[in-house]
Amino acid sequence: MSLLAVENISVRYGQLTALRKASIKVDEGETLFVTGPNGAGKSTLLKAIAGVVTPREGFIQFAGQHIAGRAPEDIARLGFSMVPEGREVFGGLTIEENLRLGTGMRADKDQVAKDLEQVYAVFPILKDRKDQQAGVLSGGQQQMLVIGRALMAGPRLIAIDEPSLGLAPKVIDDVYATLIRLRDSRGLTLLIVEQSATRASLTGGRMVLMRSGEVALEGDARELVKGEALRQAYFGYGEH
């Protein structure tokens, strides 16, 4: 059974339909990329799963429970952790205070210190600067911080919205290398919204392409990038 199953959900913002009967499934330990042009509904899909917006129809199941319409904190307790677009670092707090924000809903407080050390082992720069305000970090370092904060929640699945946004290519490579290493070492499941289909093909995994609020294409990321079907679905040509 899939860890996450989204079936035929639709989301509206007033008169605007952001998602139209969209469906995806993510298996435990899998990496799924969601790509597509601006306005395709990618971020709305993540927000619906996270409980930030409520679908008008369809259902969402995570870790064996129906979660559509439930509060974000309830969904987080099941093991869903989201890294929003734009990183949302609390610049006035220290790096360690930012990391500890991810532990607010955890009951296993005795494990928190161990997890903090594991995050510092993955991101040594954060440990070196743990008492500094997070606002002084570079964009790449802030991305490391918000991924670390997501890890502190003890998730089964991390959903990341545009992790490469505004970052230099070398930094993007480092971020993705870290994500894949964490997936393999921790058994994490990754759901990544990424406008670049090329990045998905470089990383590997399964890919879903969205367009106009719908799932237009899905398959192996590397195979899809090789073919013409991806370009047709992305730009909408070849439709009748």
Side-chain angles (χ1 to χ4, degrees), residues 58-121:
F59 78 90
I60 306 171
Q61 184 171 296
F62 177 71
Q65 297 196 35
H66 293 284
I67 61 171
R70 292 177 63 172
E73 55 269 26
D74 291 340
I75 298 169
R77 287 190 187 97
L78 295 174
F80 181 90
S81 191
M82 181 169 165
V83 178
E85 181 183 353
R87 296 186 273 279
E88 295 189 7
V89 164
F90 296 93
L93 299 180
T94 68
I95 289 167
E96 185 156 315
E97 286 170 339
N98 268 270
L99 289 171
R100 289 186 177 276
L101 288 174
T103 69
M105 289 172 291
R106 290 181 56 171
D108 58 339
K109 300 300 182 183
D110 56 338
Q111 182 65 30
V112 168
K114 295 179 182 178
D115 286 351
L116 184 61
E117 286 306 312
Q118 289 180 357
V119 169
Y120 284 149

Side-chain angles (χ1 to χ4, degrees), residues 106-199:
R106 290 181 56 171
D108 58 339
K109 300 300 182 183
D110 56 338
Q111 182 65 30
V112 168
K114 295 179 182 178
D115 286 351
L116 184 61
E117 286 306 312
Q118 289 180 357
V119 169
Y120 284 149
V122 174
F123 303 115
I125 187 65
L126 300 183
K127 184 173 185 178
D128 293 343
R129 307 178 70 176
K130 64 186 178 69
D131 296 322
Q132 297 181 17
Q133 289 188 329
V136 305
L137 296 176
S138 68
Q141 291 165 349
Q142 288 187 11
Q143 190 65 272
M144 295 174 190
L145 177 56
V146 292
I147 292 170
R149 189 171 65 200
L151 288 169
M152 289 298 294
R156 297 177 65 181
L157 184 152
I158 295 183
I160 309 176
D161 197 352
E162 298 284 6
S164 60
L165 187 67
L167 300 182
K170 176 62 169 66
V171 177
I172 297 170
D173 290 343
D174 292 343
V175 167
Y176 269 100
T178 300
L179 287 172
I180 298 307
R181 191 164 61 248
L182 287 168
R183 180 199 65 189
D184 295 342
S185 64
R186 288 188 168 217
L188 287 174
T189 303
L190 299 177
L191 174 58
I192 304 174
V193 163
E194 178 62 81
Q195 192 165 350
S196 169
T198 301
R199 173 55 56 179

